[in-house]
Amino acid sequence: MATNKLIENPGASFATLLLRSARLPGVRVEREAYLRTALARHCSEYEVAMAVAGTPAAAGISLDVLNRLADESIRYETAKVSALSAAAGLPGALAAVATVPADLAQYIGHMLRIAQKLAYLYSWPDLFPDDGDVDGEQIDDATRSILTLFFGVMYGTHSANVAVGQVAKAMSEQVIKKLPQRALTQGVVYPIVKRVAASLGVEMTKQTFAKSVSKAIPLVGAAVSGTLTFATYRPMAKRLKTHLAGLELAEPAPHVIPGEVVQDQDADSPAAAEADVPKQGRDWRIVKRK
């Protein structure tokens, strides 16, 4: 019966699963706390503060650093979701009726976690409200739409890639970075969101069946379920990382460190340019930028 409903209205089924998974404890990633912790090991205090107040791109943090941090987050979330999936496969077929829906919900929950982490690293705004616990009423339509598109990118849906690129382009032209509500809920992007949601609903149906089969045999099912989760989750997270890193929104802005004089390499007369620069001392040093 549940499977028939999924097939009849896959878009609505995916939306319901997304909201249900978002309510799970620990799914929400607090943007400020995550960025401070992740960037602290690789960036100065000034860069971290700039990234939190604005975006990592506005802080001038290089894509090399952001890509390393993204890979670390992907490894962590993959190990976590795979271990939980393996644990859900221990009881075998007798408990599959209870464990499969729970396993799928926590899988979607971890997809939400990595989507948030990657979004924040690559300069997207906070995807969830700042106050209170996450529940269905607090996730607005724009957030649901962009998360649906992120999931579409993870599953390799070309139209989702295009739509995310359009949203990122619109955001890169804003002074204050926020999700474009109208485009995501009424504009040209919204029909794509609906098609992607329907496609994801079908994928969830297939995934539910695959997880049921993988848990058929006790103990053996744990290994199969954990391996299946690892084999699907990591490539999907990598796919989203690659797409977000390639968008204009993630490109680091020209960055001048306070207390430094920046000398342009292509000045008409290097000697003349040098003459206009204060003598180097304790408080000044010349940084050449290309």
Side-chain angles (χ1 to χ4, degrees), residues 15-121:
T16 301
L17 180 58
L18 183 70
L19 294 178
R20 186 180 302 150
S21 300
R23 296 190 189 104
L24 294 175
V27 166
R28 179 185 172 184
V29 175
E30 187 184 354
R31 178 183 177 274
E32 179 177 343
Y34 170 67
L35 286 178
R36 286 192 183 281
T37 302
L39 296 174
R41 292 168 291 152
H42 302 273
C43 305
S44 67
E45 290 183 11
Y46 172 75
E47 289 173 321
V48 173
M50 287 283 289
V52 170
T55 65
I61 299 172
S62 73
L63 282 174
D64 285 342
V65 170
L66 297 178
N67 288 338
R68 286 201 300 272
L69 294 173
D71 287 337
E72 289 176 7
S73 290
I74 290 172
R75 282 195 296 270
Y76 175 78
E77 296 296 337
T78 301
K80 208 165 111 182
V81 71
S82 299
L84 289 172
S85 184
L90 285 172
L94 292 178
V97 173
T99 60
V100 169
D103 187 22
L104 184 59
Q106 68 88 15
Y107 184 87
I108 299 300
H110 279 82
M111 287 180 67
L112 285 169
R113 281 183 56 82
I114 196 60
Q116 291 172 84
K117 289 184 175 183
L118 295 177
Y120 300 153
L121 286 175

Side-chain angles (χ1 to χ4, degrees), residues 72-185:
E72 289 176 7
S73 290
I74 290 172
R75 282 195 296 270
Y76 175 78
E77 296 296 337
T78 301
K80 208 165 111 182
V81 71
S82 299
L84 289 172
S85 184
L90 285 172
L94 292 178
V97 173
T99 60
V100 169
D103 187 22
L104 184 59
Q106 68 88 15
Y107 184 87
I108 299 300
H110 279 82
M111 287 180 67
L112 285 169
R113 281 183 56 82
I114 196 60
Q116 291 172 84
K117 289 184 175 183
L118 295 177
Y120 300 153
L121 286 175
Y122 294 117
S123 296
W124 289 73
D126 202 338
L127 300 179
F128 285 103
D130 291 331
D131 54 339
D133 296 327
V134 174
D135 62 38
E137 298 301 320
Q138 290 178 299
I139 303 177
D140 62 28
D141 290 340
T143 297
R144 282 199 294 268
S145 293
I146 198 61
L147 288 172
T148 299
L149 293 176
F150 283 169
F151 276 41
V153 172
M154 288 178 163
Y155 276 94
T157 306
H158 176 69
S159 58
N161 285 27
V162 174
V164 169
Q166 291 175 337
V167 174
K169 186 176 186 301
M171 287 178 51
S172 66
E173 298 168 354
Q174 298 175 353
V175 176
I176 300 176
K177 301 292 185 271
K178 60 181 181 179
L179 293 176
Q181 298 279 334
R182 185 175 181 81
L184 284 166
T185 59

